[in-house]
Structure formats: C-alpha cells, structure tokens
Amino acid sequence: MGFFQDAFIYLLAAVVAVTASHRLGLGSVLGYLFAGIAIGPVLGYVGGSETESVKHFAEFGVVIMLFLIGLELEPQMIWRMRWQLLGLGGLQVLLTTAALTAAVMAIGFSWQAALVIGMTLALSSTAIVLQTLNEKGWMRSRGGQSSFSVLLFQDIAVIPMLAILPLLAVGAPVPVDGAAAPGAHGNMLDGFPGWFQTLVIVATIAAIILAGRFLVRPAFRLIAAARMRELFTAAALLIVVSTALLMDLVGVSAALGAFLAGVVLSTSEYRHAIESDIDPFKGLLLGLFFISVGAGIDFGLLFSEFLLIIGIALGIILVKALVLLALAGIFRLPWQDTWMFGLGLAQSGEFAFVLFGFAGSSGALAGSLVEILILAVSFTMLLTPLLFILFERYVVPRTVSSVSRPADEIPEPGTVVIAGVGRVGQIIARLMMAEGYKIVVLDHDPNLVDRMRQTGVHSYYGDATRPDLLEAAGLAEAQVFVAALDDQDQQTAMVRHVAEHYPKCRIVARAYDRHHLYELEKAGAHAIEREAFEGALSLGKRTLRELGLHPFRAEQKVRAFRRHDMQTVDVLRDYWTGGMGKKYLNAVRERLDELMQVMRSDRIAGRNMPDREWTPPPAEDSER
C-alpha cells in the first residue's frame, strides 16, 4: 500500500469519525479510537506490524505533548507542586502496584510475574488523560493538576521499572511478535555499572538545563532574525527531537526529557512562538497514536477470550479507581475533583505496551499472557473516554446536591460573593472593592487565590460548587451572588443550587453564549451577561472607527446591533428547547436577514432611534 493511499485512509477515517464523535458529544479521543477500529479490525485496511510501526512513530506525539506542558510550567510552579508530585504520584504507583500484585498472586502467579504485571498496570495513559483534560478545560482544576502530578511521576517511574524487569525474569528470553522490545534499544549505557549510568544520566540532565538557559535563546534570536517561520518551526522540533534522542540514548524516558526541556524554556521570550508552531504536530500525532491503538485491537483474540479479557480490563479499572479515590480523600480533593481524578486515571497506559513487550522478550512473562494483557490494556484505554463522559454527564450535575455541610471555614461573610476569580471575576471583585462593598471570592485555583490575597482581595481556596463553602461565604445574608466559573455545566448547577436554597439572594451570572444564557435563566439567575458580548461590540466599534467611520456613526451602529441582538435573544427563547431544532434554526436565519437590513438602514440606525445617553463629539472632531 503506497504512502498516499495510507495517508488518505488514515485522514479520511479521522475526519469522519472525529467529526461524528464531536457531533455526538463524545470527544475526539473516542473518535480516533473508533476510526482505528474501523480501518483496522473491521475493514482490514491496516493491521499487524504496520500498526505497530505507526504506533511507535505516533508516540512522538506524547513526547511533544509533554514538551508543551513543560512550556506552561515554570520551575517555581514545579517546586510548589513537589509534595503533590512525590506524595500523590508516589503513593499512587506504590499502592496500585501493591494491590494489583497481590490480586495477581492470589490467582496463582509467581511473585515475580505478579510484580511485573502490577507495576506495569499501575501506570496510566498520559496521552488520553492530558488530551481530554485540555480539551475539556479541566487542566487548571485541582483534579486536573493532581492527575498531571501523578502522570508526571509515572513517567519518571518508568526508568526504574525498565531496570527491574530483567531481574524478575524467571524464564528464557522470548521475542514478542519477532520484534525487538521497545525501550530495549539504543541505550548506550547497557553493560556499564549502575553508578556510572546514574552519573551519565545526571550529567545529561544538567547539560539539557544548561543548553536551554545559555545556548537555545541566542540560537533562537539568530533564527528569528532570519524571519523564516518554517526555519523557526524546524528549530523548535529539533529541540524536542534532540532532547528525546539524548534521553533515550541514556535509557531515560524521552517524554520526560522533552518535559524537562519545556520547563527550561518556559521562561524564554520565545515560549509562545514555539508553542504555537509545534502544537499542530502534537494534535496530529496524538490522533495517529489513538488510531493505531484502535487498529491494533485483535478482535479474534478478544472474542475467543472475551470474558477473561473483559474481566481483566474491568478489574484493572476497579482496583485503580478505588486506590485513586482513597488517595483523593487523603489529599482532601474536592468532591467533584475526586471523581475526575478517580475515573480519569483508572486505565492503563501506553507505557504498558513498552513494558509488557520488554517483559515478554526478557522472559519475565509468557508471550501468550503478554498478548492478553496488552489487549486488556487497549480495552481500558477504549473505555476511558466513556468514563469521562460518565463523569461529565452524571457526576458533575449531581455534585452540588450530594455534598454534606462541614463546619464554616470563612471567618467574614460577604455582602457580595463571587464564585470564580478568572478574568471576569477579577474585574468584578476590583469594582466592588472600589465601591466599598465587603466581598468574598471563591476559587479552586490555589495560585490564583494566593495572588488575589496579595493584592488585598478576600479570596478563599475551595470548590465554589460545594454547598458548605457557599454557606460559609455568607450566602444566607449576601445581597448578590456573582457566578463566574469557566465550566458551563458547573456554573449552571451552582446557579440552580443557589436559586433553590437562597431565594433572597440576587444572582448575577456569566454566560458562555446565548444557549448558556437560556440554561442559566432556567436555573434561576436574575441577571445574565454573555462574557464576550460587550467586549466584542467595543472592539467592533473601534474597528468601524479605524475603517473611517465617524465615532458618532460607529456608536449608532453598535447600539443598533445591540438592540437587535437583545430582541433576538427574546425571540429565539421561544424556540430553544435545550438544542437547535429546525424551528430554532429557521428563526436564526430570519433574524440574521433582518439584522442585515437593519445595519444597512441609516434610518433605523440613527435618525429614528433616540440615543439620549450619547453626546455628539466636539466640532473639531467632527471633521474626521
């Protein structure tokens, strides 16, 4: 099969399946997996060694993703996360390995084989989890940050695991599918004593840090001066590839090396340019990786050992989820983040393909067992998007009403309570403080809360959807509650809870768009503003002025647009039934045609509509 034919099949399957998946609200990861199943096991266009080759190539997408995450995390932020990284991540790997090892030993395996299986299955899928967290906008939540800490620790834990595996081999080395085990190649330190390997690894990491601080910036300055974007993109990819290659040669995770390089460059002035240039490669390669996972599922083996494989997959998810939920309780994660953390990391990850392959080739596990385990791992990855959907559709809406009320943790209730201190919440908080109102600000981002406290704003860390925290903030006596969360579903659920339990409190809510506005109205909000609407109108007015329109006329045009849009909101409300039906779409088209007529008519925009609040500009400005 030629290159163009392969590319056509992969791209066509991806476009069709991911588009359909998005339309059904299932997310892109599940779409890619279904695309792989369609072109692999179902239609037979790809499969076998070809799929494995594509998978190994596409794993570079995981490396790029870790590099981009590193770019977002400055060294100071990593230092602040150290306890979460070591405590939460370390305990997850340790406890999950112990639980799975004990379970495998209980069914008759030797402790060596059980340990290999336990520590391999303890790892989760960095590619699926981080892609989903970023796609859903959950990365900044405590559940998202905790998940990231665990995944980062797991990437580090792969290094000692690769070293331990040969020591656990009890049988003769057996090649798996005739291929060399991934991760077992290219390590130039093989055969050297342990102290020397450690010394070389430390020296390599130091070299990457020093090169990032003292060589990369001058190099990028020279490249930027050439004003050739493709050269800049090539240089950014060169950094990722060279770092990954260097770490791979010394036997360290390439993804971990790329992450380290990203952190070193996170304070660089070229950070955003690098990020925007290589981000498209990450998306395409990750999509290819997910397709290869779907295409690699052996349905023949799955059907012949159906109950066994499904039982193993569900057992993995159950044990890992229980350990994760327990850790979330120990580290006092908010209720909603607890479920995100527990369900999101319950699968096994892509490193299982590497470690099981290595275990099979080294004789630590039998080849037939490796095939079954890899298929079970693939099945857990296939179920992960469904677990996220379960969390999003059934856990999130019920979180507010399912939490009990612990003791009051906020000493001074506020007249105005603001939930969410992002871009919108910060502006409202400053305005209320300037007017002398006593405010209480709630947010789940500890760093943001600390920064707000440093500026004198009464900010408190916590999940604003928790009823006990809302009570402690003084909602029973507050005059106004400002709902300014980023997450639409959480925002709607929180507004519904406040409207039901604090009927005397006025609710001012931030809406994402017109449809969200209708949801918030139905939930009980009293005043709702679309977050980008007024800002977009202001920019539109400035655009008209830059195009030569007189400021007075630009103001009239914007006011006419605003009036018509407000009327459109009222008109479409009657047709909105929670989705966009045929009648709703017809009404949208009619209102759009009417808007075109309104904006073309000077009579409607200016002369026939009074603008009492607008004073024409001075005479000297009217000459423009």
Side-chain angles (χ1 to χ4, degrees):
M1 188 177 290
F3 169 77
F4 290 112
Q5 190 173 354
D6 283 351
F8 173 77
I9 291 173
Y10 276 100
L11 291 174
L12 179 63
V15 170
V16 172
V18 175
T19 303
S21 182
H22 261 292
R23 294 282 295 177
L24 295 173
L26 302 179
S28 63
V29 174
L30 202 55
Y32 284 122
L33 292 171
F34 283 144
I37 292 173
I39 63 175
V42 176
L43 299 176
Y45 287 128
V46 297
S49 60
E50 183 184 357
T51 303
E52 290 302 314
S53 301
V54 170
K55 185 183 294 179
H56 293 316
F57 172 72
E59 282 173 358
F60 185 55
V62 181
V63 174
I64 293 181
M65 181 173 63
L66 266 295
F67 176 75
L68 290 174
I69 291 172
L71 278 179
E72 297 289 337
L73 297 175
E74 296 181 2
Q76 295 85 350
M77 188 179 297
I78 298 290
W79 181 248
R80 285 197 295 269
M81 293 171 59
R82 63 188 184 281
W83 298 120
Q84 194 175 31
L85 185 68
L86 297 174
L88 195 57
L91 282 175
Q92 186 275 331
V93 172
L94 188 64
L95 294 179
T96 308
T97 298
L100 290 171
T101 301
V104 176
M105 288 180 66
I107 57 177
F109 281 84
S110 66
W111 70 268
Q112 294 94 336
L115 182 58
V116 171
I117 295 171
M119 65 184 186
T120 302
L121 296 179
L123 306 179
S124 304
S125 173
T126 303
I128 291 179
V129 177
L130 292 189
Q131 172 78 358
T132 306
L133 292 178
N134 283 318
E135 193 173 286
K136 299 288 184 183
W138 295 335
M139 197 63 197
R140 289 174 61 84
S141 67
R142 277 199 71 189
Q145 291 182 356
S146 300
S147 301
F148 173 74
S149 298
V150 170
L151 291 169
L152 187 56
F153 185 88
Q154 290 178 356
D155 283 345
I156 299 171
V158 170
I159 303 168
M161 287 182 183
L162 281 170
I164 291 172
L165 280 178
L167 304 178
L168 299 174
V170 293
V174 179
V176 178
D177 293 337
H185 61 82
N187 184 353
M188 65 180 186
L189 299 179
D190 285 345
F192 287 94
W195 65 267
F196 182 77
Q197 293 187 22
T198 305
L199 189 65
V200 172
I201 290 172
V202 172
T204 303
I205 293 174
I208 291 175
I209 295 174
L210 292 175
R213 292 186 65 85
F214 299 109
L215 295 180
V216 173
R217 288 186 181 184
F220 267 111
R221 196 173 298 121
L222 288 174
I223 293 169
R227 299 181 181 278
M228 296 175 65
R229 183 167 183 178
E230 64 274 17
L231 186 61
F232 196 90
T233 303
L237 285 173
L238 178 62
I239 289 177
V240 181
V241 172
S242 57
T243 308
L245 176 63
L246 193 58
M247 297 297 269
D248 194 47
L249 285 176
V250 297
V252 179
S253 163
L256 182 63
F259 173 77
L260 180 63
V263 173
V264 173
L265 293 175
S266 62
T267 57
S268 164
E269 61 270 33
Y270 301 104
R271 161 188 162 185
H272 296 294
I274 295 172
E275 189 174 351
S276 64
D277 277 355
I278 67 173
D279 189 68
F281 293 96
K282 179 206 72 173
L284 282 174
L285 287 172
L286 278 181
L288 192 58
F289 173 77
F290 296 136
I291 290 176
S292 66
V293 170
I297 294 178
D298 185 348
F299 276 80
L301 180 59
L302 175 63
F303 291 139
S304 64
E305 301 286 351
F306 184 77
L307 293 179
L308 175 63
I309 292 171
I310 297 300
I312 293 173
L314 294 179
I316 294 169
I317 291 175
L318 178 63
V319 171
K320 294 189 72 174
L322 289 176
V323 172
L324 290 163
L325 291 174
L327 287 174
I330 294 172
F331 281 79
R332 298 179 179 276
L333 290 189
W335 189 250
Q336 187 171 294
D337 293 282
T338 294
W339 284 104
M340 180 199 298
F341 182 70
L343 295 177
L345 293 176
Q347 78 294 128
S348 283
E350 50 277 358
F351 278 121
F353 302 129
V354 177
L355 293 176
F356 278 143
F358 190 28
S361 64
S362 64
L365 293 177
S368 57
L369 178 61
V370 167
E371 292 179 2
I372 290 176
L373 289 172
I374 286 179
L375 197 53
V377 168
S378 301
F379 207 75
T380 64
M381 296 171 75
L382 188 63
L383 289 177
T384 300
L386 300 178
L387 292 177
F388 274 116
I389 292 171
L390 178 71
F391 165 77
E392 188 175 22
R393 296 189 179 179
Y394 296 100
V395 176
V396 172
R398 290 167 172 78
T399 303
V400 170
S401 59
S402 62
V403 180
S404 60
R405 290 186 175 184
D408 186 352
E409 299 176 354
I410 300 177
E412 294 184 59
T415 307
V416 179
V417 177
I418 302 173
V421 68
R423 293 165 300 170
V424 175
Q426 287 184 28
I427 294 173
I428 298 172
R430 290 203 300 269
L431 177 61
M432 294 301 107
M433 286 184 64
E435 288 298 308
Y437 290 101
K438 185 188 295 182
I439 67 170
V440 169
V441 176
L442 307 174
D443 200 281
H444 64 272
D445 186 335
N447 299 321
L448 201 54
V449 169
D450 289 343
R451 287 201 296 271
M452 293 297 288
R453 280 182 177 169
Q454 289 170 3
T455 62
V457 178
H458 291 174
S459 307
Y460 296 92
Y461 169 77
D463 184 357
T465 62
R466 284 174 48 189
D468 60 322
L469 201 62
L470 294 173
E471 177 72 16
L475 270 189
E477 302 297 330
Q479 295 181 20
V480 180
F481 174 68
V482 180
L485 298 184
D486 288 329
D487 189 282
Q488 294 183 52
D489 294 332
Q490 291 183 2
Q491 172 91 332
T492 305
M494 181 178 64
V495 167
R496 185 179 298 110
H497 171 79
V498 173
E500 290 175 356
H501 293 81
Y502 307 97
K504 294 181 180 179
C505 183
R506 301 289 294 177
I507 302 174
V508 178
R510 156 202 186 182
Y512 179 75
D513 55 16
R514 187 186 295 151
H515 299 164
H516 193 210
L517 182 147
Y518 296 143
E519 293 174 1
L520 291 170
E521 283 183 343
K522 192 175 179 181
H526 301 100
I528 307 168
E529 287 289 341
R530 286 166 284 173
E531 59 183 12
F533 184 69
E534 290 296 333
L537 286 183
S538 180
L539 282 174
K541 183 169 63 178
R542 294 295 299 267
T543 304
L544 290 173
R545 292 181 62 178
E546 293 297 329
L547 289 171
L549 203 66
H550 189 279
F552 182 72
R553 297 290 299 135
E555 177 68 23
Q556 282 186 313
K557 292 284 185 185
V558 168
R559 290 189 177 207
F561 185 95
R562 183 188 289 109
R563 276 193 298 271
H564 187 272
D565 189 85
M566 295 297 181
Q567 294 166 1
T568 300
V569 169
D570 292 333
V571 170
L572 295 182
R573 184 183 291 108
D574 296 333
Y575 299 99
W576 186 77
T577 57
M580 294 191 295
K582 187 176 180 180
K583 292 182 179 179
Y584 182 90
L585 291 174
N586 289 335
V588 169
R589 283 192 284 269
E590 290 175 4
R591 294 297 299 176
L592 185 59
D593 291 339
E594 187 179 309
L595 175 64
M596 296 298 107
Q597 297 174 11
V598 168
M599 298 308 291
R600 291 193 192 102
S601 172
D602 287 333
R603 176 178 59 81
I604 295 177
R607 292 191 292 272
N608 290 349
M609 300 298 290
D611 291 279
R612 295 176 181 173
E613 296 179 0
W614 169 254
T615 302
E620 58 270 20
D621 191 30
S622 64
E623 294 175 358
R624 180 178 175 180

